[in-house]
Amino acid sequence: MNKRVLLVGLAIVVPLIVLFAVSFGRETTKVRSPLLGRDAPPFELKVVDDERLVSLDQLKGKPAVVNFWATWCKPCQDEHRVLYQGARLYGERVQFVGIVYEDDTTKILDFLNRHGSGYPTLLDRGGKTAIAYGVYGVPETFFLDAEGRVVEKFMGPLSPDHLRMNVQRLLEGS
Amino acid sequence: MISSLGTAMVLAALAISALGTVTAFAAARTRSRQALDWARRSAYAFAGLMIAANVLMIIALLLPDFSVGYVAQVGSRHVPRWVQVVSLWSSLEGSILFWGAVLGGYVALSVYRMRGRHPDAEPWALGVILACSVFFSFLIAGPADPFHAVPNPPPDGPGPNPLLQNHLLMVVHPPLLYLGYVGMVVPFGLAAAALFSGKLGPALLRSIRTWLLVPWIFLTLGIVMGGWWAYEVLGWGGYWAWDPVENASLLPWLTATAAMHSVMVIERKGLLKGWTLTLVLSTFLLTILGTFMTRSGVFNSVHSFTQSDIGPTFLVFLAACLVFSVLLLAARIGKLQPEGTIAGAASREAMFFVNNLILVLITLTVLLGTVFPLLAEAVRGVQISVGEPYFNRMSVPLGVALLFLMGIGPALPWGGTTPEKARRALTRPIAGGLTLLTLGLILGARSPWMIATLFAGGYAFQVTFGEMLLPALTRLRKGGVSGASIATSLGALLKNRRRFGAYLAHLGVVLVIVAIAVSSTARVSQEVTLREGQSVVVEDYQLTFRGIETRDEPHRQSVLANLDVSRNGRALGTLSPRLNYYFIMREPIGTPAVRTTLKEDLYASAMSIDTEQKLVGVRVFVNPMVVWLWIGTAIIALGGFIAVWPRRGAATADARSTRPATTAPIATTPIATARHEAQPSGPSDGGATGGAVEGA
């Protein structure tokens, strides 16, 4: 028996099997966030088209919709018009913020020029904010109340109905 | 009736494969001829029963007989005949049943080709292959039973997933992938047999290589057809998205590719034996892992079947196969001693080893990226996705390195050479690299990785093309330019099919990698809403929206937007992207329209069609070189088929071989004789001269 082969083999194989075994029953589409009901992780990020910084503290006072997205993600492209329309409809009462995950500035600016931009788009260099929010995959949207607490998290592209429902919940809460 | 008959067939297949496994292992232990004959008969019977069960299910789908559980789930009276047949693999239970048929086919064919050729390995291989068959029969008989009876059959069924009804490529993509996945059980069995028996002679090696190459060709075609289907159906203008299930199909392809190359190092130098067998075993294990990913509900993917109960059963099988492989390797790898050492960096075997390391590194990178979300969640309770940028960032440099090595490896001789000769061999192809690079720069290539890819592609192309034509050119040089010598030199090309096929496949790979690099970096797209009569200009193309057309089919209604295409004032025809409304689905599914040329594709995808306002929201892409991806793949497959095609007279060539077995038998068992090992292997490769085989 070659002990080195045995040990290396088992060191690869056993964790893999255990990992798969504990992952059963994982709900891959409806992920409840441990952040629900808690304060949203703070951030201070640069706006994509100027040198301005936007932080979570600045958003407090009004409910906020924080959307994580990227130009390489097809569902995000489809979702963009929903958020764009949403910001026009509710922008006075709710703040919309886009946080771009793993992308480059040229592509983002090109995308926003073509599809319109009605709210600040922030750059998350190194994905630290996305990690802090436990983003599983883009697009993901966090609905924050006026105190900066996470009220709801939505995975996948928002439909107009989903957006309306969640925004109304935020407005009723405030 | 069909339900009971189908269930009986599957249960019989389960029993017969179990019997075959027991008798095959008994034959291996006791060397009983009778037991081996029973194992072979059981294998044929298993194949017959599995294929018959599939035919029965197709009949049930065509009737359609809704008293059969699977037909009630995916059958329909209102879909075309071909969709009814394709429904066989459109959902979980049917796809596993189809897996059984493909497995049966491979089992029967491998038993037929193996019989008597590897007396030491055959019973072990048969035992391992049939043991895997037991698992799949069990799965079909129990957790994923497609034949369960429906007490009150519905008058009609919903039909399969509309995405699968949208394109004819769906007819070929899954079967090709299955032919690739399932076929890896045969080299797995042969590699396990080599370890059990402690012998890895040239004939067995050739069989391993051949049985690896056959599913590898199908896997290559299956993966690319999947990309082509996504490109033609999904409407986002791309063909690869690093989806977990796409990754799962890529993993065994990578290790199989590495193994096919390292087999050559054993053949020529007697090195990397344990490494190669590990790669072969890993290839099969990764196919099972891939199947687990699609069917366990653990991964979130566009490909995933709905959450099912077979996940835990599959995990048990995966775990059993993994532990079995590790134990077998640990127990027997010591028997496979290398017969020398690598002759230095400037040798083909050294380059093959580096190529292997890069392929394994890509495999690990993709595997890590795919399971990382599970790991992050299990360890930290945090959900995170590594996403497309991770895979691109990691795979692009490794892919370019691999492309470059495809040029360096074949330029160097086996066994090493002097630094001076190596320098000369390696500097010549720089001309090819610079030519393609210059061409790229003129056409507008600017990104550093694109430039590196073009250089490496040109370099590899020159080496591959030169090596491919070498036998013909040598003949021509000897015989002068005449009709007869041209014919002889062409004959020389095809004489060593394995060598010619391998280099042809390399040419295809070069084309594919360059096409991927160009099409993914130089793509232009525009999204626009057009009113009837309005136009949009994308690059040189002008698209004018001429109107909307509606087509009714039994299973769907399609709304087409007709776009007249012209280039520099010259009319090129009409593109009609469409939205298909299926009766079982609320949201429409789009089918893009593509105008393909050798230079680029004009790709139009309808986002929305407003029949009242006469408006179309359309996304237009100009994708350069995409067609070369499909052409390159066809060349790879053609090269593979040429290399694997059985050669007449291979037996005599092998028997005449005076070269000693490159890999001496490792254990001394009475049945092992040089005569046996010199007999022809399974579907023999071409070009084996003197027991050693040239190849890239």
Side-chain angles (χ1 to χ4, degrees):
Chain A
M1 185 67 79
N2 185 322
K3 283 194 181 136
R4 204 173 54 175
V5 172
L6 185 67
L7 286 177
V8 172
L10 291 179
I12 297 172
V13 160
V14 172
L16 205 60
I17 297 169
V18 172
L19 184 62
F20 289 144
V22 299
S23 300
F24 276 122
R26 179 172 174 262
E27 190 60 70
T28 52
T29 50
K30 285 181 187 161
V31 182
R32 299 300 295 173
S33 170
L35 290 174
L36 289 182
R38 297 194 188 162
D39 287 344
F43 58 81
E44 189 177 45
L45 299 168
K46 197 179 99 51
V47 179
V48 69
D49 43 4
D50 60 37
E51 291 305 312
R52 211 155 38 96
L53 289 170
V54 171
S55 68
L56 180 68
D57 287 341
Q58 291 169 12
L59 299 181
K60 286 178 183 168
K62 266 191 198 176
V65 176
V66 180
N67 171 249
F68 286 86
W69 68 285
T71 61
W72 46 262
C73 139
K74 162 82 172 60
C76 306
Q77 296 175 10
D78 298 338
E79 184 192 44
H80 183 77
R81 72 189 77 186
V82 175
L83 287 161
Y84 181 69
Q85 289 291 342
R88 289 174 65 163
L89 273 173
Y90 309 110
E92 304 246 310
R93 290 171 291 164
V94 179
Q95 303 178 81
F96 282 70
V97 175
I99 298 182
V100 194
Y101 169 72
E102 289 281 340
D103 215 331
D104 69 60
T105 313
T106 331
K107 284 186 186 162
I108 303 166
L109 289 175
D110 178 53
F111 181 87
L112 295 176
N113 281 337
R114 284 190 287 121
H115 300 279
S117 162
Y119 50 89
T121 299
L122 314 178
L123 287 175
D124 182 19
R125 294 255 182 251
K128 283 186 184 149
T129 308
I131 293 171
Y133 276 74
V135 172
Y136 171 74
V138 282
E140 260 183 37
T141 308
F142 291 81
F143 295 88
L144 314 185
D145 66 14
E147 281 78 47
R149 271 191 303 268
V150 180
V151 175
E152 189 55 87
K153 171 189 177 180
F154 190 87
M155 271 188 77
L158 283 162
S159 68
D161 286 345
H162 284 130
L163 181 67
R164 194 183 58 242
M165 208 170 65
N166 282 298
V167 165
Q168 273 171 358
R169 198 173 145 198
L170 284 182
L171 292 171
E172 282 160 16
S174 63
Chain B
M1 165 69 183
I2 288 185
S3 189
S4 324
L5 194 56
T7 306
M9 281 178 177
V10 175
L11 287 173
L14 173 62
I16 207 94
S17 54
L19 175 73
T21 309
V22 173
T23 48
F25 283 127
R29 298 287 299 176
T30 61
R31 302 185 180 280
S32 152
R33 173 104 202 158
Q34 209 180 4
L36 184 59
D37 282 342
W38 271 107
R40 287 179 186 149
R41 279 182 212 126
S42 309
Y44 288 131
F46 165 78
L49 285 163
M50 271 301 167
I51 292 166
N54 274 266
V55 171
L56 198 62
M57 181 56 82
I58 292 175
I59 293 171
L61 284 162
L62 285 170
L63 283 172
D65 179 352
F66 293 107
S67 67
V68 177
Y70 185 67
V71 182
Q73 189 188 326
V74 301
S76 171
R77 294 182 194 282
H78 299 101
V79 294
R81 284 277 180 211
W82 70 268
V83 174
Q84 286 179 325
V85 176
V86 170
S87 305
L88 177 63
W89 52 78
S90 70
S91 197
L92 180 87
E93 291 84 356
S95 73
I96 302 266
L97 181 67
F98 182 57
W99 182 293
V102 179
L103 182 61
Y106 271 112
V107 166
L109 200 62
S110 61
V111 172
Y112 178 73
R113 300 293 310 196
M114 261 195 300
R115 51 183 303 141
R117 288 184 172 144
H118 310 296
D120 294 307
E122 187 192 342
W124 289 114
L126 201 51
V128 172
I129 295 169
L130 283 172
C132 297
S133 309
V134 171
F135 168 74
F136 281 99
S137 313
F138 167 74
L139 211 55
I140 302 166
D145 175 17
F147 284 108
H148 65 89
V150 177
N152 298 307
D156 200 357
N161 184 340
L163 269 177
L164 307 183
Q165 303 178 34
N166 228 13
H167 205 284
L168 277 170
L169 274 172
M170 216 50 220
V171 180
V172 284
H173 162 58
L176 283 172
L177 215 50
Y178 281 34
L179 282 165
Y181 264 32
V182 182
M184 294 301 177
V185 73
V186 183
F188 178 74
L190 289 169
L195 287 162
F196 271 125
S197 67
K199 291 188 179 64
L200 188 55
L204 183 57
L205 257 182
R206 262 201 306 281
S207 281
I208 291 179
R209 191 196 71 96
T210 305
W211 282 107
L212 206 54
L213 186 52
V214 171
W216 180 88
I217 297 169
F218 290 120
L219 193 56
T220 310
L221 287 171
I223 293 171
V224 177
M225 287 285 179
W228 197 0
W229 171 78
Y231 185 72
E232 295 279 344
V233 171
L234 298 182
W236 49 277
Y239 41 78
W240 191 262
W242 296 109
D243 175 273
V245 174
E246 289 175 347
N247 297 349
S249 65
L250 188 63
L251 295 170
W253 186 90
L254 290 164
T255 48
T257 309
M260 285 188 314
H261 287 85
S262 61
V263 160
M264 267 182 276
V265 181
I266 309 183
E267 284 177 332
R268 299 299 297 244
K269 295 285 151 193
L271 302 170
L272 307 183
K273 289 178 195 168
W275 168 263
T276 305
L277 292 183
T278 309
L279 286 175
V280 176
L281 297 179
S282 306
T283 301
F284 173 73
L285 297 171
L286 287 169
T287 63
I288 298 298
L289 177 73
T291 317
F292 170 75
M293 283 180 176
T294 338
R295 291 167 173 80
S296 62
V298 165
F299 288 86
N300 184 19
S301 156
V302 289
H303 290 78
S304 295
F305 290 91
T306 46
Q307 296 229 355
S308 69
D309 301 331
I310 71 162
T313 320
F314 232 102
L315 184 61
V316 170
F317 180 61
L318 176 65
C321 289
L322 284 166
V323 172
F324 163 78
S325 303
V326 169
L327 289 177
L328 186 61
L329 272 171
R332 307 292 291 175
I333 203 166
K335 303 277 180 192
L336 305 169
Q337 292 302 326
E339 292 157 34
T341 51
I342 288 181
S347 65
R348 195 175 292 189
E349 56 268 31
M351 287 304 120
F352 272 33
F353 188 56
V354 179
N355 136 308
N356 262 234
L357 288 181
I358 293 183
L359 283 166
V360 169
L361 200 58
I362 301 178
T363 310
L364 292 176
T365 308
V366 175
L367 183 62
L368 182 67
T370 311
V371 301
F372 189 76
L374 298 186
L375 189 67
E377 190 181 344
V379 176
R380 293 177 50 202
V382 175
Q383 301 224 341
I384 185 94
S385 168
V386 293
E388 195 178 324
Y390 160 83
F391 291 106
N392 287 343
R393 202 176 296 155
M394 301 301 283
S395 62
V396 169
L398 290 171
V400 173
L402 203 60
L403 186 59
F404 198 43
L405 270 180
M406 272 174 57
I408 294 177
L412 294 171
W414 289 103
T417 183
T418 61
E420 183 49 39
K421 278 186 182 162
R423 203 175 304 126
R424 211 177 314 138
L426 294 178
T427 45
R428 216 174 294 144
I430 291 177
L434 290 176
T435 309
L436 194 60
L437 172 61
T438 315
L439 193 68
L441 288 172
I442 293 170
L443 292 174
R446 290 296 176 267
S447 92
W449 282 117
M450 168 84 122
I451 288 169
T453 309
L454 290 175
F455 177 77
Y459 188 95
F461 188 86
Q462 182 172 339
V463 173
T464 310
F465 205 64
E467 286 290 321
M468 191 171 84
L469 298 181
L470 191 65
L473 293 175
T474 315
R475 288 285 166 106
L476 264 185
R477 246 178 252 135
K478 275 188 192 161
V481 182
S482 69
S485 73
I486 291 173
T488 330
S489 52
L490 284 178
L493 270 190
L494 290 173
K495 198 173 170 193
N496 192 341
R497 284 201 206 124
R498 178 171 164 184
R499 182 181 196 282
F500 180 71
Y503 280 120
L504 195 61
H506 270 205
L507 275 189
V509 174
V510 173
L511 266 182
V512 166
I513 297 182
V514 171
I516 290 173
V518 174
S519 62
S520 56
T521 50
R523 184 167 83 175
V524 176
S525 73
Q526 197 169 329
E527 194 176 321
V528 68
T529 302
L530 297 174
R531 195 172 286 284
E532 204 170 77
Q534 280 185 331
S535 299
V536 59
V537 176
V538 185
E539 295 281 277
D540 297 341
Y541 297 96
Q542 181 171 0
L543 290 91
T544 309
F545 177 36
R546 285 293 171 218
I548 295 166
E549 195 184 318
T550 306
R551 283 185 199 163
D552 287 309
E553 289 172 74
H555 59 308
R556 66 181 183 189
Q557 187 184 53
S558 301
V559 184
L560 289 80
N562 289 324
L563 302 161
D564 283 354
V565 182
S566 64
R567 189 179 196 176
N568 303 325
R570 196 166 63 90
L572 296 175
T574 305
L575 281 184
S576 304
R578 55 162 82 186
L579 291 178
N580 305 306
Y581 293 85
Y582 288 84
F583 304 129
I584 60 164
M585 220 169 172
R586 275 178 59 201
E587 294 294 314
I589 290 179
T591 304
V594 191
R595 182 184 181 274
T596 300
T597 62
L598 290 179
K599 187 182 165 220
E600 64 202 10
D601 282 8
L602 176 67
Y603 184 108
S605 173
M607 310 303 292
S608 61
I609 300 176
D610 187 335
T611 44
E612 284 174 12
Q613 303 280 328
K614 306 262 191 264
L615 286 172
V616 61
V618 65
R619 192 177 285 173
V620 183
F621 297 86
V622 177
N623 294 328
M625 275 192 81
V626 171
V627 74
W628 291 99
L629 196 62
W630 324 133
I631 294 173
T633 307
I635 294 175
I636 298 173
L638 180 67
F641 279 122
I642 290 175
V644 86
W645 199 256
R647 185 174 62 104
R648 261 174 209 281
T652 36
D654 281 338
R656 274 202 312 268
S657 167
T658 50
R659 191 180 184 279
T662 47
T663 47
I666 324 123
T668 44
T669 37
I671 249 176
T673 63
R675 186 174 56 81
H676 284 134
E677 284 298 327
Q679 281 174 357
S681 61
S684 172
D685 47 64
T689 46
V693 187
E694 263 296 323

